Amino acid sequence: MAISSQTQTKPPRAHRRHLPIASGVALALAFTVLVVLNLLPLVWGVITSLKSEADLFRFPPTLFNFTPTAENYQRVVQSGFLGNMQMSLFYSLATVIGTLVLALPAAYAFDRFQFPFRNALFLLIVASIPLALGAAALLIPNYVYFSRLGLTNQWYTLPLIYIAHQLPMAIWIMKGTLEGIPRELDEAAIADGASHFEVLRLIILPLTKPALGAAGVLTFVGAWNEFVAGSVMVDSPALRPIQPAIYNFIGYFGREWGPLTASATLAILPILIAFALFGRLIVSGLTKGSVKG
């Protein structure tokens, strides 16, 4: 049987590009150097936190030739540092919950509805994302406003500030994901009698879990690591977050390297746990809406 000349040929399969061996080795070495440079301060800090005062000032410094001790951690615990960790955990979790509860409906409104100044308002939100990094620029006006309203030195002071700082980034992440969700799902649900709240709860919420996880992890890290507002907006030692508590070990007569590195080691543990449990959500959540079908 003759083969028809009109037989359609299948499109060629995409092939992965392979780097030359020299380029692969160079890239692996570059990443190795980058990893070592990032982990070396962390490892050195953990080792320093286990040294006694005599070993701390030994010259030349020793890496492993010393007797480990827990006296620095005991001193940190006795200073009430665990209470500061509990307050920071409360502040961070409250910030995550408040930010996500506000970010998802806001992103849904920006993506699904038309209203006056919609684009201008979203550009303003995107322009406010650096607030999470440049919070020091707003410290004085925030302190003046909160003082006049009697909102300083309260358990809700820092969560309010942290939510305001982290909300623009969360809205931006959520809107990018919503752009990849077909509007036909909303229209079909509304045609069946669902309200917009039900669409948001039953359809949008399950489909945006990766983005919610990514925004939640980034919000948690931002609130946990915040220092400027936490050191000024609250005065009570019982309300002090963890970062100003670490700074207390930098005294007038010099740095107390043992307690300082011990407290820093304890402070980084929740961040490591958060990234170990939810780190994959950052990549999946940030790339969820990057390709639209």
Side-chain angles (χ1 to χ4, degrees), residues 35-51 62-64 66 73 261 265 268 272:
V35 170
V36 170
L37 291 178
N38 281 274
L39 290 181
L40 186 59
L42 177 62
V43 174
W44 184 261
V46 173
I47 293 175
T48 303
S49 68
L50 297 173
K51 291 182 177 181
T62 58
L63 188 60
F64 299 110
F66 67 94
Y73 290 93
T261 54
T265 301
I268 204 173
L272 296 178

Side-chain angles (χ1 to χ4, degrees), residues 247-268:
Y247 189 78
N248 286 338
F249 293 106
I250 303 178
Y252 292 104
F253 301 102
R255 295 172 176 83
E256 302 177 77
W257 289 111
L260 184 62
T261 54
S263 59
T265 301
L266 292 176
I268 204 173

Side-chain angles (χ1 to χ4, degrees), residues 66-243:
F66 67 94
T67 302
T69 179
E71 62 182 18
N72 294 319
Y73 290 93
Q74 292 175 356
R75 181 176 174 185
V76 168
V77 171
Q78 291 173 358
S79 68
F81 189 78
L82 295 182
N84 301 123
M85 289 189 68
Q86 292 177 357
M87 290 307 303
S88 278
L89 185 62
F90 167 75
Y91 295 149
S92 301
L93 293 179
T95 302
V96 170
I97 294 173
T99 300
L100 296 183
V101 167
L102 295 175
L104 182 58
Y108 179 73
F110 275 111
D111 189 68
R112 294 301 201 256
F113 297 101
Q114 295 291 336
F115 50 88
F117 308 108
R118 169 176 172 266
N119 294 332
L121 288 174
F122 186 71
L123 288 176
L124 180 62
I125 288 175
V126 173
S128 300
I129 292 177
L131 288 178
L133 302 176
L138 298 176
L139 180 62
I140 294 178
N142 282 340
Y143 183 78
V144 172
Y145 294 148
F146 274 62
S147 296
R148 291 181 177 178
L149 295 174
L151 300 179
T152 58
N153 206 36
Q154 302 291 335
W155 62 268
Y156 50 79
T157 300
L158 293 180
L160 288 176
I161 295 176
Y162 294 166
I163 290 173
H165 290 169
Q166 302 297 329
L167 188 58
M169 177 193 64
I171 294 176
W172 175 69
I173 294 175
M174 298 305 304
K175 186 177 184 300
T177 299
L178 285 169
E179 290 175 354
I181 299 177
R183 295 174 180 265
E184 289 77 9
L185 297 177
D186 303 20
E187 296 171 357
I190 293 175
D192 290 338
S195 63
H196 287 292
F197 176 77
E198 291 174 333
V199 171
L200 183 64
R201 181 173 62 90
L202 300 176
I203 298 177
I204 301 299
L205 181 60
L207 295 176
T208 55
K209 286 183 179 180
L212 287 170
V217 172
L218 295 176
T219 299
F220 180 87
V221 173
W224 184 270
N225 289 333
E226 204 283 327
F227 171 78
V228 177
S231 61
V232 175
M233 302 300 292
V234 293
D235 297 329
S236 173
L239 298 175
R240 185 177 297 140
I242 193 171
Q243 302 303 331

Side-chain angles (χ1 to χ4, degrees), residues 3-26:
I3 300 176
S4 174
S5 60
Q6 297 181 355
T7 302
Q8 296 181 356
T9 59
K10 294 182 179 180
R13 295 177 62 184
H15 297 282
R16 293 183 180 179
R17 297 179 59 185
H18 296 281
L19 289 175
I21 296 178
S23 299
V25 172

